[in-house]
Amino acid sequence: MLEPFDGWGNSIPLDPAVWQERLFPLIRGIKNAESDGGRTLAETASELRIAADLFEEFPDGGPEAIQRIPRAAEAARTPQVLREIAEHLEDWKHDRLTWLTTPLSTEELRLRFPRFEQILPIFWGQDGVAISDDMQDATTEDGIRMFIEETHPYCPWRLPSVVAECYQAIALFHTEEQMDRFFSGEAMTGGSGTEDFLDFFPLFARRCIEHLKEAHHPLWEPKDRWYRREAD
């Protein structure tokens, strides 16, 4: 939630109108993710209040984790501003026009790809190298196969969500240029800029599904009572 105010020289503005406008896409993204079981605005507000308490307890810095949380433009007012943001999240209401006309931000879209945010940088790395040094000459198929092998035997719990993110990418980004700019540049630095994401995502999803069918079938078995009902 506070990522837009992170980094050297950044801070949370004291004017609520300013941070409310800047946080709108992220708040909308979290609100949208609630329906998929993601963290809720209420949970985020609770964490912000905990952070505010910790800033009051450790005004001079405290543990390293506290130091990584963005501060207000006036550091002494950080607890107050964090509580204001928390209250804003809990009371947040949107109007239809603002929801529909405010463009999707990079931070908001990143919320849709929590697994790819981990997978893609490991898969290609900052410089476009493969998963490990001994696989620098590996094909895309080799990399996908290694990812699935490292996920096994937990595939039924992990791969369906990876497949979902593949198809979210295809639905949201309609050109190779858009995909490359997002996944290799602005959002994840998960590639070298030479990958063909339009081919990669369908291939990745297909290989995950094939593995689930071949190595983990059946994934679900109905209770006997359903069979009995059919027989009746």
Side-chain angles (χ1 to χ4, degrees):
M1 177 60 66
L2 299 180
E3 187 175 6
F5 311 118
D6 192 18
W8 180 258
N10 290 335
S11 59
I12 307 171
L14 299 180
D15 186 349
V18 177
W19 56 252
Q20 286 177 17
E21 180 178 3
R22 184 66 183 86
L23 292 180
F24 176 84
L26 274 173
I27 297 173
R28 178 179 59 182
I30 293 175
K31 185 67 176 177
N32 186 65
E34 287 183 11
S35 60
D36 293 329
R39 180 175 296 171
T40 67
L41 291 178
E43 290 170 330
T44 306
S46 177
E47 292 183 346
L48 287 170
R49 287 198 169 92
I50 292 172
D53 294 341
L54 291 172
F55 272 111
E56 288 182 339
E57 184 177 353
F58 302 102
D60 298 325
E64 182 181 351
I66 306 301
Q67 298 176 29
R68 292 199 297 266
I69 300 175
R71 288 167 165 74
E74 292 181 15
R77 295 182 61 185
T78 298
Q80 173 189 342
V81 173
L82 293 182
R83 291 187 179 107
E84 289 175 356
I85 296 175
E87 183 177 356
H88 177 68
L89 297 185
E90 289 182 333
D91 297 336
W92 190 72
K93 295 179 177 61
H94 71 275
D95 65 90
R96 179 183 175 88
L97 179 62
T98 304
W99 180 289
L100 295 175
T101 58
T102 302
L104 293 163
S105 69
T106 298
E107 296 98 333
E108 180 178 0
L109 283 174
R110 282 176 60 185
L111 295 173
R112 293 177 175 266
F113 301 99
R115 292 158 191 85
F116 277 156
E117 196 164 11
Q118 301 296 321
I119 293 171
L120 294 185
I122 294 173
F123 195 94
W124 281 298
Q126 296 273 358
D127 300 319
V129 298
I131 293 176
S132 59
D133 291 340
D134 61 349
M135 288 193 67
Q136 291 192 30
D137 297 325
T139 65
T140 299
E141 291 262 11
D142 293 333
I144 294 173
R145 184 163 47 252
M146 173 172 277
F147 170 78
I148 293 174
E149 288 173 355
E150 292 184 347
T151 304
H152 191 79
Y154 299 101
C155 312
W157 294 273
R158 297 179 182 174
L159 293 188
S161 297
V162 173
V163 172
E165 290 189 22
C166 286
Y167 286 110
Q168 282 219 54
I170 295 169
L172 285 166
F173 305 103
H174 302 156
T175 67
E176 181 65 34
E177 181 182 4
Q178 291 175 345
M179 289 186 178
D180 187 67
R181 182 169 180 177
F182 183 81
F183 291 106
S184 293
E186 290 190 14
M188 299 187 184
T189 60
S192 64
T194 61
E195 294 76 27
D196 190 341
F197 288 107
L198 282 174
D199 291 336
F200 170 73
F201 287 124
L203 177 63
F204 199 173
R206 189 163 61 250
R207 292 294 178 262
C208 289
I209 294 170
E210 289 171 355
H211 173 79
L212 289 169
K213 288 182 177 180
E214 293 169 1
H216 301 277
H217 184 75
L219 294 178
W220 173 71
E221 293 183 357
K223 294 181 179 179
D224 289 343
R225 61 190 179 91
W226 296 110
Y227 291 121
R228 288 199 298 270
R229 182 178 299 176
E230 276 191 22
D232 294 341

